[in-house]
Amino acid sequence: MTGTAARHLYLVRHGEASPDETALTDNGRRQAVLLGERLRSVPLSACCHGPLPRAEETARLLCGRLDGVPRYPAEWAGDYIPYVPQRDELPSDSADSMLHRLSQFPAEERANGPEFARQALARFAGPVVGDEPRHELLVTHNFLIGWLVRAALDAPPWRWMGLNHAHAALTVIRYAPDRPASVLCYNDMSHLPPELRWTGFPPELHA
């Protein structure tokens, strides 16, 4: 059924995690709470999050600052490779390094990722049925955010690579009827103090 009202999708990468990724760090917990404070005025209908501990804890802390926003896990909101390109799709000067990087990830993430990515697009990437705009929150991982932003911009499938998201940063995509998707903001960290910004990026890329 064709959507008739706008969907606003709020995309969040989980907070900074411990080295073994079983929990958030103190900084990660602060990031999640501060983002929750920022989103208090948004009329969110639900929060979907990935099943891994760092995403679940971020969603729990974030939603703890909101008023009654239900949250639910989804396997397709997890951490995986959304698309594995063929060599001839990639820029010739970087194809080898990009494919080598992808080969370092577990085979399961590469094999199951494309189907999960399809499910994520089917669930979120488009307007909604009804008369009321919908605001939804997705707490997930770097690669899926890149995949959804790539799709919103109608970029080639491989272009999710190179779209990097900081911990607890905010990206908002608007899907409205009869018009292309709009990326309203990307990787916004204005709710975080300077010492909590740019985690998840190597130091040389901090702005």
Side-chain angles (χ1 to χ4, degrees), residues 5 7 14 38 41 51 53 60 73 75 80 94 99-100 102 125 137 160 174:
R7 182 201 308 270
H14 60 82
R38 175 176 178 174
S41 62
R60 177 169 50 81
E75 191 172 12
Y80 53 80
S94 56
L99 291 172
H100 175 72
L102 292 178
L137 175 63
W160 67 269
R174 182 175 185 262

Side-chain angles (χ1 to χ4, degrees), residues 4-206:
T4 54
R7 182 201 308 270
H8 292 80
L9 180 61
Y10 298 74
L11 294 166
V12 173
R13 185 183 179 188
H14 60 82
E16 182 184 65
S18 60
D20 65 2
E21 299 185 333
T22 60
L24 298 183
T25 63
D26 288 343
N27 281 345
R29 287 187 283 273
R30 288 179 62 201
Q31 290 169 332
V33 169
L34 288 168
L35 181 54
E37 292 288 347
R38 175 176 178 174
L39 294 174
R40 283 182 63 84
S41 62
V42 176
L44 293 167
S45 61
C47 169
C48 174
H49 61 82
L52 297 177
R54 58 193 186 274
E56 188 281 332
E57 186 176 3
T58 299
R60 177 169 50 81
L61 290 170
L62 195 163
C63 288
R65 311 305 295 179
L66 307 176
D67 294 325
V69 174
R71 58 185 178 90
Y72 63 94
E75 191 172 12
W76 48 258
D79 196 10
Y80 53 80
I81 304 297
Y83 179 82
V84 180
Q86 299 296 312
R87 182 180 299 275
D88 60 5
E89 296 177 70
L90 300 171
S92 58
D93 59 347
S94 56
D96 287 341
S97 62
M98 294 171 78
L99 291 172
H100 175 72
R101 181 186 177 215
L102 292 178
S103 72
Q104 306 304 302
F105 289 88
E108 183 179 4
E109 290 185 19
R110 288 180 277 127
N112 297 334
E115 174 57 23
F116 288 150
R118 186 197 65 76
Q119 292 178 37
L121 285 175
R123 170 63 180 83
F124 283 118
V128 297
V129 176
D131 299 324
E132 295 294 327
R134 185 182 304 169
H135 297 257
E136 296 175 292
L137 175 63
L138 176 58
V139 179
T140 183
H141 301 266
N142 187 43
F143 291 168
L144 181 55
I145 294 174
W147 177 250
L148 290 167
V149 170
R150 176 223 58 88
L153 297 175
D154 200 25
W158 66 268
R159 205 59 186 87
W160 67 269
M161 301 180 72
L163 291 171
N164 298 311
H165 216 258
H167 293 132
L170 181 65
T171 287
V172 183
I173 302 174
R174 182 175 185 262
Y175 304 96
D178 302 320
R179 66 183 64 186
S182 301
V183 179
L184 302 183
C185 68
Y186 177 77
N187 209 31
D188 185 354
M189 292 170 268
S190 60
H191 50 284
L192 301 175
E195 67 273 15
L196 295 182
R197 297 176 185 175
W198 295 109
T199 64
F201 277 63
E204 65 269 19
L205 295 182
H206 290 197

